[in-house]
Amino acid sequence: MFRQAQNDIHAAEQARNRLLVELVGDADKVPVELAERLGLTGREAVHIVTTARTGSRRMRVHVLGEQSDTEAARVWTSETDPER
């Protein structure tokens, strides 16, 4: 039960992280207001966006969630969401 709760929390954090990446888009900066609205510090938000853009595959999977091999080079957005 505890393990499932941990997994659920991590999945929710990954979804929040993907939303942040989508909202920031190609911008050079993460608006502090956006980071705070998502419950993140500025440093956490920058880490997430930087990982999405330049992180290793393993880090992207941890921060943003699993992607198929064909999507490994792309950053997740609502347009690339396989659930759509």
Side-chain angles (χ1 to χ4, degrees):
M1 189 145 138
F2 179 74
R3 176 59 84 185
Q4 183 60 43
Q6 279 184 316
N7 291 339
D8 291 346
I9 290 170
H10 189 66
E13 289 171 341
Q14 289 173 327
R16 177 206 54 204
N17 296 346
R18 291 189 303 267
L19 176 62
L20 172 68
V21 170
E22 180 175 5
L23 293 173
V24 170
D26 293 335
D28 292 333
K29 298 179 182 177
V30 177
V32 173
E33 300 81 14
L34 175 59
E36 289 175 349
R37 188 169 181 189
L38 294 173
L40 298 164
T41 65
R43 181 173 288 184
E44 290 169 326
V46 168
H47 163 72
I48 292 165
V49 172
T50 301
T51 299
R53 292 177 181 173
T54 63
S56 68
R57 182 180 192 296
R58 189 172 185 172
M59 278 299 295
R60 288 192 316 265
V61 167
H62 177 73
V63 172
L64 302 170
E66 189 67 50
Q67 296 176 333
S68 71
D69 291 337
T70 59
E71 295 178 348
R74 297 188 307 187
V75 173
W76 184 96
T77 67
S78 62
E79 289 80 28
T80 62
D81 186 354
E83 301 294 319
R84 288 183 85 194

